[in-house]
Amino acid sequence: MEEAKRIGGTTKVYGLIGHPIGHTFSPLIHNTLASLTDANLVYTAFPVEDSARIGDAMNGAFALGVQGLNVTVPYKSAVIPFLADIDPIAREIGAVNTLVRTENGYKGYNTDYIGLRQALESEGVVFPYAEGETEKAEYLKPLAGRSGVNAAADTARDVSNDNTVHDKNAAADGTTVSLSQLRGENLSVRPIHVRNVVLIGAGGAARAAGFMCGTVGLRHLTILNRTVEKAQSLANDINRVFPDMEIRVLPLSDAGRVGYEEFLAIQCTNVGLYPHTDEIPTTSTTFYRRIQAAYDCIYNPEETQFLAQVHRRGKRGWCGIDMLLWQGIAAYQYWTGITVTGEQAAAVRSELVGFLQNGKRSNNIVLAGFMGSGKSTIGEALAKRLGWQHMDTDELIVQATGKTISQIFRDEGEEGFRTIETKTLQNLVDAYGSGETASEKATATSDAHTDSGKRKAGAKGIVFSTGGGIVLQPENRALLRKLGRVVLLDISAETVVARLGRDHQRPLLQGPDRMKKVRTLLSRRQGAYHECADVTVEVDDKSPDVVVKEIMERTGRQ
Ligand code: NAP
């Protein structure tokens, strides 16, 4: 109803052209931004089925007064001949995804490379930024003076003496898009200094990524692609603009032959995209071993098989959702001149995450982490804040067996305990893993045809606290993710020992040299924790209240 009242005779129209576009997230991004920034505009999808008529579609949109368009597959290059003007880097990339109305027609921009850069920097990736390099990036200037995105993209990272990255743009007045504000964080993230990049793919996303590498001063790039000729053609195009870059080209089947000791991998193929979620672009263990960090442009699913390999090795890897968000925000700012604040960006991100997860994952939050990380205390506090139920897998096991955890370890060994743990987890997934609790299922069935019914069914969940070693079994990691969104409470060995120094209950902690024991166990489990985590929250030096708040923000519950 509100939406209907908002749209009137003076409402400006924006949209997306492509085919097929039935599952696009762009209307959600732009209509949410319009509502948050109080702009009198509406955004919708215009499928263009006949590729021969893309020029007609653009002329028709212009004649009808459409103020701006996004362009998606398969038209990112096809629209170029019909533009009145084109931004220099979009011309070099050879693809545009944003059309801005001018007097004579549309001007084309590429905001994918801005989105990717912003997404990486917001995770702590630090590029070389050779002297003068960012200034040389003339391409970023069209946004200058009116865009928080530009400010952030240009100067975001500031590495201080303690080797953490601080957010320069976290302006107190909220007038620029702050990187950490995006996720509701007020945190410093560990920096990852990148010198070498490996791109997987040579299509539209890879082109944007390759040119982004040039704009941030990177000198060493390898492009892996199934079709080597396409990779070579991309390398030539990048070298024309950035002649100092050393670019190697390899067939995807030679991924293990990438020459760098370590590198940032940017996955730009369709491999692993829903519904083909079992596929992976390469299985080379040599390749994965050398990855410093990885970005997968795919965001559905959130964790592809490619990212799972990266996480399994305890490395940081991110899905494409922030690239999607930031390219959308950059387009919105080009069109409207409105500066999107960090809070608004965070709100759109929450909507996107919610939309992505709707119907696929349950609402439940599952806390995982090493002993002493506070899973039970934080689980209880979080459930209270959310008005949800709290369950603890260790407590459920104690109730079901009538024995303490130590007794089970003594009587049946660790293996026996792990078997009981897996059964417990499987039972929980069977009962609560579908996204609704039993009582909500009943409510949802009775009024699912109403909006409020759908929202109510989607809103509630259960907070699960889990045992510290539950992630050791591969089947448990899959079950945890079926049970809900997994939040890893990340703790250092020092904090574990400080918190549990005198503990005499936990079987695995007993004996001499506790610090050594904790370090060994923690490093053995680290890969498994990261493999199943959707969200990682560092807990050292933080009170339960602060951790609870951070979890709520990071899981879009606030
Ligand atoms: P594209 O232009 O069609 O390029 C597809 C790429 O994937 C090509 O390099 C192609 O290799 C490779 N590929 C496809 N199937 C393959 C297979 N079975 N084995 C090996 N390689 C294969 O597509 P795009 O526009 O670059 O998009 C690529 C992905 O990025 C999509 O999943 C898209 O959703 C995502 N994306 C995300 C964002 C974001 O905002 N997060 C933005 C843009 C794109 P060949 O050259 O050999 O055919």
Side-chain angles (χ1 to χ4, degrees):
M1 203 59 178
E2 278 309 304
E3 193 67 9
K5 282 187 201 154
R6 202 171 64 77
I7 300 168
T10 57
T11 302
K12 291 182 172 153
V13 177
Y14 293 80
L16 169 72
I17 50 176
H19 185 70
I21 45 178
H23 293 99
T24 175
F25 292 86
S26 294
L28 180 71
I29 296 177
H30 293 290
N31 290 317
T32 305
L33 281 170
S35 153
L36 290 168
T37 59
D38 219 5
N40 185 13
L41 66 87
V42 67
Y43 183 106
T44 188
F46 300 111
V48 180
E49 286 181 29
D50 182 353
S51 60
R53 302 201 60 197
I54 186 65
D56 290 346
M58 285 169 68
N59 291 337
F62 191 76
L64 286 170
V66 172
Q67 297 294 305
L69 290 164
N70 279 137
V71 185
T72 188
V73 187
Y75 299 126
K76 286 187 181 183
S77 303
V79 294
I80 293 177
F82 304 99
L83 295 172
D85 194 3
I86 184 164
D87 181 58
I89 194 151
R91 178 183 294 119
E92 302 296 351
I93 294 173
V96 305
N97 72 334
T98 300
L99 308 185
V100 178
R101 190 183 177 88
T102 69
E103 230 171 81
N104 306 318
Y106 292 111
K107 178 170 179 180
Y109 293 89
N110 186 304
T111 64
D112 280 339
Y113 84 102
I114 298 175
L116 176 62
R117 177 174 174 176
Q118 188 93 354
L120 287 167
E121 290 179 327
S122 68
E123 294 292 355
V125 170
V126 181
F127 296 112
Y129 308 116
E131 208 173 322
E133 198 65 42
T134 48
E135 286 76 13
K136 206 174 123 191
E138 281 292 319
Y139 320 115
L140 292 171
K141 289 192 178 150
L143 286 169
R146 56 188 243 190
S147 164
V149 165
N150 181 51
D154 255 355
T155 59
R157 313 322 286 168
D158 180 12
V159 185
S160 68
N161 294 337
D162 63 359
N163 212 30
T164 50
V165 179
H166 298 287
D167 193 343
K168 272 186 177 180
N169 296 297
D173 63 4
T175 51
T176 60
V177 176
S178 144
L179 298 168
S180 60
Q181 274 172 340
L182 168 66
R183 292 169 142 205
E185 294 170 354
N186 186 15
L187 308 171
S188 299
V189 286
R190 275 198 311 279
I192 301 175
H193 294 268
V194 168
R195 291 285 174 274
N196 311 308
V197 169
V198 176
L199 286 186
I200 312 175
R207 295 190 74 83
F211 277 86
M212 181 219 68
C213 291
T215 65
V216 295
L218 283 159
R219 290 278 170 274
H220 307 284
L221 178 67
T222 296
I223 307 173
L224 300 172
N225 198 42
R226 182 178 58 177
T227 314
V228 187
E229 297 72 34
K230 262 174 80 180
Q232 189 57 58
S233 159
L234 173 57
N236 296 344
D237 291 349
I238 297 171
N239 264 153
R240 251 201 320 277
V241 183
F242 300 102
D244 297 341
M245 277 176 93
E246 275 175 29
I247 310 180
R248 259 190 101 194
V249 162
L250 284 173
L252 186 50
S253 50
D254 279 355
R257 289 184 44 228
V258 169
Y260 313 131
E261 282 295 303
E262 57 173 18
F263 56 85
L264 167 73
I266 308 179
Q267 203 296 110
C268 305
T269 73
N270 307 323
V271 182
L273 183 67
Y274 182 85
H276 306 290
T277 52
D278 289 341
E279 295 175 3
I280 187 162
T282 174
T283 51
S284 163
T285 47
T286 318
F287 179 81
Y288 289 106
R289 229 187 356 253
R290 293 187 187 157
I291 287 181
Q292 258 180 304
Y295 198 86
D296 196 328
C297 293
I298 292 175
Y299 45 82
N300 186 14
E302 281 177 90
E303 190 186 56
T304 54
Q305 291 299 323
F306 169 78
L307 279 185
Q309 286 293 334
V310 174
H311 293 153
R312 193 165 293 149
R313 288 165 173 81
K315 297 294 169 60
R316 283 152 78 187
W318 312 281
C319 80
I321 196 159
D322 286 344
M323 176 180 176
L324 175 75
L325 172 80
W326 288 115
Q327 63 75 31
I329 289 177
Y332 187 79
Q333 295 189 153
Y334 271 132
W335 291 329
T336 63
I338 293 171
T339 298
V340 175
T341 68
E343 273 172 16
Q344 290 163 344
V348 178
R349 188 178 198 278
S350 263
E351 291 290 326
L352 274 176
V353 171
F355 194 69
L356 257 174
Q357 286 167 358
N358 191 23
K360 276 192 287 167
R361 301 273 298 274
S362 71
N363 285 313
N364 304 329
I365 293 178
V366 181
L367 301 182
F370 201 71
M371 59 184 108
S373 58
K375 297 180 297 290
S376 303
T377 313
I378 287 162
E380 258 175 51
L382 178 64
K384 203 167 163 200
R385 281 284 297 276
L386 292 167
W388 292 6
Q389 202 179 343
H390 174 236
M391 291 186 189
D392 186 313
T393 54
D394 279 354
E395 273 176 24
L396 292 173
I397 290 171
V398 170
Q399 280 166 20
T401 59
K403 292 180 180 179
T404 65
I405 304 291
S406 296
Q407 280 169 335
I408 303 173
F409 262 76
R410 203 182 49 223
D411 297 349
E412 303 181 38
E414 183 173 352
E415 206 178 312
F417 174 76
R418 299 288 170 220
T419 308
I420 302 173
E421 204 174 34
T422 302
K423 274 190 198 145
T424 309
L425 199 50
Q426 181 65 65
N427 290 342
L428 289 173
V429 169
D430 292 345
Y432 307 112
S434 71
E436 299 156 21
T437 61
S439 63
E440 283 162 2
K441 273 179 188 158
T443 321
T445 319
S446 64
D447 60 0
H449 58 285
T450 66
D451 252 354
S452 70
K454 283 179 203 152
R455 267 198 298 276
K456 213 185 314 159
K460 278 232 168 189
I462 300 172
V463 178
F464 292 97
S465 302
T466 60
I470 204 163
V471 293
L472 291 171
Q473 259 67 9
E475 67 267 38
N476 286 5
R477 299 200 283 275
L479 287 170
L480 286 170
R481 290 179 63 82
K482 280 189 189 161
L483 190 55
R485 221 160 136 68
V486 182
V487 177
L488 167 62
L489 302 182
D490 201 14
I491 190 167
S492 67
E494 289 71 21
T495 309
V496 174
V497 173
R499 288 185 184 178
L500 302 178
R502 289 177 214 284
D503 180 281
H504 295 295
Q505 302 296 321
R506 294 168 209 253
L508 293 174
L509 266 195
Q510 307 315 311
D513 203 346
R514 205 161 262 206
M515 178 60 92
K516 194 172 163 201
K517 266 197 167 141
V518 169
R519 283 216 173 103
T520 311
L521 273 177
L522 199 52
S523 70
R524 249 188 239 146
R525 290 181 186 177
Q526 207 66 313
Y529 283 134
H530 284 281
E531 184 190 324
C532 64
D534 292 292
V535 169
T536 300
V537 174
E538 287 169 22
V539 299
D540 290 348
D541 306 322
K542 287 181 192 159
S543 69
D545 274 356
V546 171
V547 176
V548 165
K549 191 164 174 288
E550 216 172 301
I551 296 171
M552 289 176 68
E553 288 167 350
R554 299 273 304 276
T555 54
R557 303 285 163 203
Q558 188 161 280

